[in-house]
Amino acid sequence: MADKYLDKLAKLLKLAENATTEDEASTYMAKAQDLATRYEIDLAIARQHTQKQEEREVPAVEIFHIGERAGRGLSIKVDLMCALAQNNNVKINIAHNKTYVILFGFPSQIETIQALYGSLLVQLQDASRLYIAAGDWKLNEGSYDWRTGCTKKPHGLSERLSFEEGWTSRIDRRLHSARIEALQQVQEEEQETISRAAADPNAPRQIGVAGGAALALRATALEVNEFYKKRSNARGSYKGGSHSGSGSAHSAGSAAANSARIGSQRQLV
């Protein structure tokens, strides 16, 4: 099951990376998030019906390398990984220098978000390169420096980072929407199965009850949270990166991630 799932996920991610438009890329990524959510639900339900501990998938800890010390855009990359972790039931701790993160969760979900991260990072970098190469950022209003009381002219690096921050923030919201939509669809399918069984006494009976997916995910989240409390020694909290680019670049990044349809509007695979 795992190999078949990962193969399909890899196919979707490759299609997203090679897409020729933002529309295609975001739609493929939405399908990937939908698949990740449904796989998580399947595993969560399976755990509820598996009695032997040795046959159950159990939470684990994994270190994931983000970048080199003092590298550019580390905060953006951390923000992207945080978005994926939060939308796929994985807890995350962040190194003080942002060069790596520590992931706490079920191995299947950790593997999923690492695959999603690699694909999204490629798309993010491609989008920001296109934005900078187009040169429209040179017409932005610049950013206000409160220390000098002056407005700085737009600079390529700060504008790129601001664009990427807007892109990542919007992708976070879109992945969340895709996850919620996938869960709602599973719950509707559950209810339809139960309704058919109630109407036809000869219909095959399914294990579980209405809301089984939601209950299974809640149990999984509780297990991950308890594991995190026992294994994490984090101090403080991460408030995200801050960049000095213009609001125009941030809005452009959000628009680049927002221009495509997302969800299950098109069946692509």
Side-chain angles (χ1 to χ4, degrees):
M1 179 181 176
D3 290 343
K4 182 179 179 181
Y5 156 73
L6 291 172
D7 287 345
K8 191 170 184 179
L9 182 65
K11 177 182 177 182
L12 281 168
L13 296 177
K14 182 57 65 175
L15 288 170
E17 292 173 25
N18 294 332
T20 56
T21 67
E22 285 289 336
D23 178 42
E24 286 185 323
S26 284
T27 304
Y28 283 125
M29 282 308 306
K31 293 296 297 181
Q33 180 62 58
D34 177 271
L35 178 63
T37 302
R38 287 175 178 269
Y39 184 61
E40 180 184 353
I41 290 170
D42 288 343
L43 289 178
I45 292 175
R47 288 186 205 107
Q48 288 192 327
H49 295 91
T50 300
Q51 300 300 320
K52 295 181 180 180
Q53 183 67 21
E54 63 269 19
E55 295 179 359
R56 293 182 76 251
E57 185 184 37
V58 296
V61 181
E62 186 165 335
I63 295 175
F64 184 80
H65 183 69
I66 294 294
E68 300 303 321
R69 185 187 297 271
R72 294 177 177 177
L74 286 178
S75 293
I76 297 294
K77 295 176 181 178
V78 167
D79 288 346
L80 181 58
M81 181 57 85
C82 284
L84 288 164
Q86 291 165 2
N87 285 307
N88 289 281
N89 200 23
V90 172
K91 305 290 287 185
I92 184 170
N93 285 348
I94 301 161
H96 70 280
N97 60 9
K98 302 183 182 68
T99 58
Y100 67 91
V101 298
I102 305 174
L103 304 172
F104 302 77
F106 287 98
S108 57
Q109 291 310 110
I110 292 176
E111 191 170 9
T112 292
I113 68 170
Q114 289 176 351
L116 290 168
Y117 173 85
S119 179
L120 277 170
L121 185 62
V122 169
Q123 294 178 66
L124 167 61
Q125 293 172 339
D126 286 347
S128 65
R129 277 195 293 268
L130 288 173
Y131 175 71
I132 293 301
D136 292 344
W137 57 271
K138 296 176 182 178
L139 303 177
N140 290 346
E141 71 277 10
S143 58
Y144 181 76
D145 187 342
W146 60 271
R147 292 169 298 185
T148 63
C150 300
T151 299
K152 293 182 178 179
K153 291 184 178 180
H155 183 273
L157 175 59
S158 59
E159 294 296 284
R160 179 179 68 82
L161 292 175
S162 188
F163 174 92
E164 292 180 353
E165 184 181 47
W167 193 96
T168 302
S169 178
R170 184 55 184 155
I171 287 295
D172 180 14
R173 296 193 296 274
R174 304 204 112 205
L175 291 174
H176 178 71
S177 295
R179 180 178 175 84
I180 295 300
E181 183 176 341
L183 180 55
Q184 289 174 341
Q185 288 177 348
V186 170
Q187 291 173 323
E188 289 171 2
E189 291 165 7
E190 284 180 340
Q191 190 58 56
E192 183 179 348
T193 298
I194 292 169
S195 297
R196 284 201 307 267
D200 181 4
N202 296 319
R205 300 289 172 172
Q206 299 291 325
I207 296 175
V209 295
L215 291 173
L217 286 182
R218 199 171 297 127
T220 295
L222 180 61
E223 190 169 352
V224 170
N225 287 338
E226 290 301 316
F227 176 78
Y228 176 76
K229 290 177 184 178
K230 292 178 182 178
R231 298 294 300 272
S232 172
N233 59 0
R235 299 290 183 270
S237 59
Y238 178 68
K239 299 180 180 179
S242 59
H243 307 288
S244 59
S246 67
S248 297
H250 189 283
S251 297
S254 182
N258 189 49
S259 61
R261 289 176 293 174
I262 196 165
S264 57
Q265 292 98 327
R266 293 194 313 202
Q267 190 70 26
L268 295 176
V269 293

